[in-house]
Amino acid sequence: LAKALHMTGNTKKAMESYEAAIQYNPYFEEAFFNLGFLALELKQLKKSVDNFKKFLKMQPNHPRAHYGLGTSYAMMGNDEDAKRYYKNAIIYDSEFLSPYINLANIHMASGNLVVAKNLLKIVLLKNPNLAGVHKNLGLIFMQEKDMNDASEHFKEYLRLMPTAPDALAIKSFLQNKNQSQNQS
C-alpha cells in the first residue's frame, strides 16, 4: 500500500503507512529504508537520518542506505558525515555512481578540485555518457585554467544534452575560446 501511495504522489500517506507497518513489525527493514528516502524527499532530514540509521543497524553494508544517509547529511550541511557515508556506499558497490558524483560535488564546493576531478574521471570510466559529469569536469578544468580539457568536456556535455538550459552559455564559452586561439 505504501509503495502504491508513493507512486501516486502521496508521499505523506506513504510515510504514514510505513510508520504504521513499523508499529506492527519493528523489524520491517524495507519500511525504514523507504521512510529514509521519503523523509529525504520531504526534506525532513532528521527523520531521514534516523530511519537510515535504523535500517543500517539491520543491513550495515547496504550501499543505497549509506548513499541516502550521506545525502541527508549533505543537505544538512554536515559535509564530513556526508563524505563518510558516500565513501561507504562506494565501498559496498563500486558500480553505483551517484555517491561518486555527490562526493565530487562536496569536494568541488570546498575547493578540493583534484579529488573532485579524480572522482568524476572514475565515473566517466564507468559511464562516459553522463552529461552532468562532463559539465562539472569542464568547470573544474576552467578553474584550473586548462581551457583545452575544459572545452573537450563542454563539447561532450553539449553533444549529450544539446538542449540543456545552459547550452547557450557553454556554446558562447567555446566560441570565445576558439576566437582567442585564432587570434594568437
Side-chain angles (χ1 to χ4, degrees), residues 144-162:
E144 294 178 336
K145 308 281 190 258
D146 181 346
M147 297 309 166
N148 290 329
D149 281 337
S151 294
E152 291 308 309
H153 284 287
F154 285 145
K155 286 176 189 173
E156 190 61 10
Y157 170 67
L158 291 174
R159 184 187 73 76
L160 293 166
M161 286 192 68

Side-chain angles (χ1 to χ4, degrees), residues 83 86-87 90 97 99-108 112-126 133 137 140:
K83 288 192 280 191
Y86 287 144
K87 288 175 186 175
I90 292 166
L97 302 181
Y100 291 93
I101 294 166
N102 287 13
L103 188 56
N105 288 338
I106 290 172
H107 284 288
M108 278 178 66
N112 194 347
L113 300 182
V114 172
V115 173
K117 182 169 54 175
N118 290 337
L119 287 163
L120 294 175
K121 285 180 176 181
I122 291 169
V123 170
L124 288 182
L125 288 173
K126 295 173 184 283
V133 174
L137 275 169
I140 289 171

